Amino acid sequence: MTDASKGPLDGLVVLDLTRILAGPTATQMLGDLGATVWKIENPERGDDTRAWGPPYADTEDGIQDLSAYFLSANRNKMSVAVDLALPEGQAQIRKLAARADIMVENFKPGGLVKYGLDPDTLRKAHPGLITCSISGFGQTGPNREKPGYDLMAQGYGGIMSLTGAPDGPPMKVGVGIADVMCGMYAATGILAALHHRTQTGEGQSIDVALVDTQMAWLINEGTNTLMSGKIPERRGNAHPNIVPYDVFDASDGHVIVAVGNDAQFARFCDALGLGPLHEDPSFVTNPARITHRDALMLHLRPALTTIPAATIIQKLEAAKVPVGPIHDLNQALATDQAKARDAVIEQTQNGATLKLLGNPLKFSATPVQYTRPPPRLGEHTGVVLGKTDTEND
């Protein structure tokens, strides 16, 4: 019988040499799934994001090293303070690598070579080790030496050219989505490498970059451009391939309408009293609506501005047309749906109650466990470095 108190990655050890967001996102995912994660931090300042506040956790000792930013990507980890610049620190990392299954790092390409801790060196000593290197542009290519930040990746990789109002400037996504998605790709790659090792006993190195992954999740807009050769326009909240699929002004706020097919469009028009609009040859099919997008909006936008948002939602839901509100973060995280799905969890650290975003994965046999709150700097140094080679946590 499966032990539901253990995650699917129970027994695996991750040596985490990452900081900021992309790497910590990947390693937090592995920790949420049950792996033991040793987060290596500079003894003096720790992960840079510890100081990226306010807000900070209101701990009993008053030390402000748990910013909300840091808390977002560092639960289920053990903090080990090691100075990589010192020979002693390098020796400690080599000993930990011998006990680890996975090493994740986000130094500049080649940045660990001078310490003798680069993936090639570690894997020569430990052929079963899986290493994952996260960087801005990857380990190869003409831009490999350039620093990688989320904003720069969003700009270089094209997503900013698609985001924002049609008559406005290019706009970044409101959160560090290039970092987060890179972390998700990294976690997926690590899991695939683990399966390969299970079959062959062989570890391997993974090279994943913010810009590469950002280009990969251009999705339909990327393939639209590749197939047509046309540079897509910024459309604000509108969809390039579906109409109407947008944010509309209601009489008292805003509402999302996402009409996915022609039958839904007919029901949309009927529900909101738009008469025979759906019978007009210019609007009867989705390709026609795309061609005549501007003309259709001249009908739709004035009509919806006369109706309260709640009424639009009620009528369209009854007509089985996709529709929804636009919540602010307080509203979103307090919805009944969010509560039912454990979107918010609580942990405690040094007397502080930490409200964190939950992991969205729902396992039937090995549910996600929140065993450790985001750690204080160096909290587990003695425990981890003092363990024998057969002990992991």
Side-chain angles (χ1 to χ4, degrees):
M1 186 178 214
T2 302
D3 185 350
S5 68
K6 295 182 177 180
L9 300 185
D10 180 68
L12 294 173
V13 177
V14 179
L15 178 58
D16 181 3
L17 300 179
T18 71
R19 57 205 182 279
I20 314 295
L21 187 56
T25 294
T27 54
Q28 176 171 269
M29 177 63 75
L30 301 177
D32 283 355
L33 299 181
T36 296
V37 180
W38 296 329
K39 181 177 178 69
I40 307 303
E41 299 191 72
N42 181 284
E44 294 184 3
R45 61 183 180 276
D47 188 312
D48 303 53
T49 63
R50 286 187 179 275
W52 287 12
Y56 295 95
D58 186 18
T59 55
E60 291 179 349
D61 60 16
I63 298 174
Q64 293 186 327
D65 69 341
L66 294 176
S67 71
Y69 198 116
F70 176 84
L71 297 176
S72 72
N74 286 288
R75 65 168 169 256
N76 284 335
K77 301 179 184 182
M78 305 173 77
S79 175
V80 183
V82 176
D83 189 343
L84 300 187
L86 299 178
E88 177 186 354
Q90 296 157 21
Q92 290 170 329
I93 296 300
R94 280 190 279 273
K95 288 181 181 179
L96 294 180
R99 299 160 56 191
D101 299 281
I102 303 155
M103 186 274 277
V104 189
E105 59 93 5
N106 63 349
F107 284 71
K108 290 182 180 180
L112 288 173
V113 173
K114 61 185 176 183
Y115 303 131
L117 301 175
D118 55 286
D120 287 347
T121 299
L122 293 180
R123 287 195 56 249
K124 285 179 183 177
H126 312 291
L129 183 67
I130 294 165
T131 65
C132 180
S133 296
I134 298 172
S135 61
F137 289 87
Q139 303 299 305
T140 60
N143 291 342
R144 70 183 293 270
E145 299 293 338
K146 292 185 177 181
Y149 293 95
D150 175 88
L151 179 60
M152 295 170 66
Q154 289 195 40
Y156 193 95
I159 192 64
M160 286 179 66
S161 74
L162 306 178
T163 308
D167 57 351
M171 188 69 63
K172 70 179 288 292
V173 178
V175 296
I177 190 65
D179 273 332
V180 171
M181 286 301 296
C182 185
M184 294 294 102
Y185 274 100
T188 301
I190 289 166
L191 296 177
L194 282 168
H195 181 66
H196 173 78
R197 192 182 72 172
T198 298
Q199 294 179 312
T200 67
E202 178 188 29
Q204 61 181 301
S205 296
I206 302 165
D207 169 9
V208 60
L210 269 68
V211 169
D212 293 353
T213 54
Q214 199 268 269
M215 289 181 178
W217 55 261
L218 290 171
I219 313 300
N220 59 297
E221 285 284 42
T223 52
N224 284 351
T225 300
L226 291 172
M227 291 186 68
S228 70
K230 296 179 180 179
I231 298 174
E233 304 172 28
R234 282 196 300 281
R235 297 191 181 278
N237 294 304
H239 196 288
N241 300 108
I242 308 172
V243 179
Y245 187 107
D246 209 334
V247 173
F248 291 86
D249 291 338
S251 65
D252 58 351
H254 301 88
V255 65
I256 293 171
V257 175
V259 171
N261 56 52
D262 299 335
Q264 288 179 3
F265 182 66
R267 297 198 301 273
F268 165 79
C269 293
D270 289 340
L272 297 184
L274 297 173
L277 194 62
H278 59 85
E279 298 175 1
D280 187 319
S282 295
F283 310 133
V284 70
T285 66
N286 187 65
R289 292 193 295 276
I290 292 174
T291 300
H292 302 97
R293 180 194 300 263
D294 293 342
L296 178 59
M297 290 303 155
L298 290 176
H299 290 281
L300 300 188
R301 292 198 182 280
L304 269 66
T305 58
T306 66
I307 310 172
T311 301
I312 296 173
I313 292 172
Q314 179 183 13
K315 288 185 174 184
L316 293 186
E317 284 184 342
K320 299 188 182 306
V321 175
V323 63
I326 299 177
H327 292 134
D328 64 30
L329 297 195
N330 279 331
Q331 292 170 330
L333 297 174
T335 60
D336 291 342
Q337 183 69 17
K339 293 175 182 177
R341 300 289 290 176
D342 297 321
V344 178
I345 65 165
E346 288 190 1
Q347 293 185 297
T348 59
Q349 174 62 276
N350 193 235
T353 298
L354 311 177
K355 289 189 176 183
L356 307 176
L357 300 177
N359 190 304
L361 295 174
K362 313 296 180 188
F363 292 88
S364 62
T366 54
V368 169
Q369 302 288 324
Y370 304 108
T371 56
R372 299 183 188 277
R376 308 305 296 273
L377 176 57
E379 181 178 345
H380 306 96
T381 302
V383 173
V384 173
L385 296 182
K387 288 286 186 178
T388 68
D389 289 350
T390 59
E391 293 177 296
N392 291 330
D393 57 16

